[in-house]
């Protein structure tokens, strides 16, 4: 069964600082990997996804993530955080083939200090 | 607005009552998912439809829960004899068949059982 671990429940950064949110997955083959963001009162929005090919993927809002098979990781990064980035971030893994049903991590809450 | 629409946005009900939620997916999306999200947790998969066929159901979906998607368009999720533990955000997502990973989420229905 696939699973996702987001080891950090909360991350606090200063506005303008760089950001890295950690995600580790468990899956027997190469998975589909995703990062979603959820702002208060809003639905989940897809930031970026990895299916195959280039292991560094670019997403919306200046985010990027790197797939590292050897570490079973898919960490999310942003070089300079804006106050509007404060939100809940979820990493998800989906099995290739079949129904593709994303399994989500518990999320990391990003707090941005001015 | 062509996004995923969920109704109602909020529902307060007394324990033991039945509730029904509705999800209207993006019109050309034939895949539809229901998730449940509790405070401090990531979304947990409940069930999945391909057109009108319910192809996957989580063990979380007890016999008090039922979901339908008549005609492969909108979907309903019914909870019978609600319990306080059913209090959660219920999320609906849809995607097009060929767009793996690009699931679009609605804003959810927040259920409070008192």
């Amino acid at each position: 069964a696939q699973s996702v671990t987001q080891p950090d429940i909360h991350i606090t950064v200063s506005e303008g600082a760089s950001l890295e949110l950690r995600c580790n997955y468990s899956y027997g083959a190469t998975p589909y990997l995703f990062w979603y963001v959820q702002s208060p009162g809003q639905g989940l929005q897809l930031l970026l996804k990895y299916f195959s090919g280039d292991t560094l993927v670019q997403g919306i809002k200046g985010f990027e993530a790197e797939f590292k098979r050897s570490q079973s990781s898919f960490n999310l990064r942003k070089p300079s955080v804006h106050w509007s980035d404060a939100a809940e971030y979820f990493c998800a893994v989906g099995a290739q083939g079949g129904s593709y049903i994303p399994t989500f991590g518990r999320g990391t809450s990003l707090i941005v200090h001015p | 607005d062509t996004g995923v629409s969920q109704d109602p946005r909020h529902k307060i009900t007394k324990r033991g009552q039945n509730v029904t939620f509705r999800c209207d997916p993006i019109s050309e999306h034939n895949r539809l998912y229901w998730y449940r999200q509790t405070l401090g947790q990531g979304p947990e998969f409940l069930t999945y439809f391909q057109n009108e066929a319910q192809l996957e159901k989580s063990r979380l979906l007890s016999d008090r829960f039922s979901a339908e998607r008549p005609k492969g368009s909108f979907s309903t999720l019914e909870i019978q004899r609600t319990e306080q533990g059913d209090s959660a955000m219920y999320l609906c997502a849809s995607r097009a068949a060929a767009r793996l990973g690009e699931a679009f989420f609605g804003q959810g229905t927040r259920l409070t059982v008192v």
Side-chain angles (χ1 to χ4, degrees):
Chain A
Q2 61 211 46
S3 66
V4 174
T5 301
Q6 293 182 250
D8 304 305
I9 297 175
H10 303 282
I11 290 282
T12 302
V13 299
S14 297
E15 191 169 16
S18 63
L19 169 70
E20 182 168 29
L21 301 182
R22 296 185 290 166
C23 172
N24 292 96
Y25 69 90
S26 174
Y27 181 64
T30 300
Y32 296 145
L33 294 161
F34 313 91
W35 276 98
Y36 285 84
V37 61
Q38 186 178 38
S39 299
Q42 301 298 313
L44 290 151
Q45 181 183 22
L46 181 66
L47 284 176
L48 48 79
K49 61 185 183 289
Y50 171 79
F51 286 172
S52 64
D54 193 347
T55 56
L56 184 64
V57 293
Q58 303 296 322
I60 62 171
K61 304 185 180 186
F63 285 93
E64 66 177 28
E66 186 171 12
F67 170 58
K68 293 185 177 179
R69 184 190 304 274
S70 61
Q71 298 176 19
S72 297
S73 69
F74 189 58
N75 294 349
L76 182 71
R77 301 194 295 247
K78 187 170 185 178
S80 177
V81 170
H82 188 263
W83 64 266
S84 61
D85 293 324
E88 194 82 17
Y89 290 81
F90 295 94
C91 181
V93 60
Q96 292 200 11
S99 303
Y100 159 70
I101 296 171
T103 298
F104 287 83
R106 64 175 297 167
T108 296
S109 179
L110 175 63
I111 301 163
V112 180
H113 282 315
Chain B
D1 184 7
T2 58
V4 178
S5 177
Q6 292 189 245
D7 183 72
R9 292 290 309 279
H10 303 273
K11 178 70 176 179
I12 300 174
T13 190
K14 292 183 178 179
R15 189 173 50 188
Q17 297 294 304
N18 299 343
V19 294
T20 299
F21 310 140
R22 178 182 171 118
C23 171
D24 286 274
I26 294 171
S27 60
E28 63 269 26
H29 288 184
N30 66 345
R31 266 61 163 177
L32 187 145
Y33 306 84
W34 284 99
Y35 283 81
R36 181 176 70 185
Q37 185 178 21
T38 52
L39 278 177
Q41 300 297 320
E44 297 172 294
F45 168 72
L46 292 178
T47 191
Y48 162 73
F49 288 86
Q50 179 176 317
N51 298 310
E52 66 276 10
Q54 188 175 19
L55 297 186
E56 301 264 358
K57 291 193 327 184
S58 162
R59 287 173 297 176
L60 292 175
L61 213 67
S62 75
D63 56 6
R64 295 186 297 108
F65 287 69
S66 63
E68 295 182 340
R69 193 181 182 198
K71 303 179 183 177
S73 55
F74 71 92
S75 176
T76 58
L77 178 68
E78 181 183 16
I79 309 174
Q80 296 182 326
R81 305 180 303 280
T82 53
E83 302 171 356
Q84 286 190 320
D86 298 329
S87 296
M89 177 76 83
Y90 290 84
L91 297 168
C92 176
S94 70
R95 70 171 176 91
R99 306 296 288 180
L100 296 175
E102 292 189 29
F104 292 83
F105 281 81
Q107 292 184 293
T109 294
R110 180 166 294 285
L111 172 66
T112 302
V113 181
V114 297

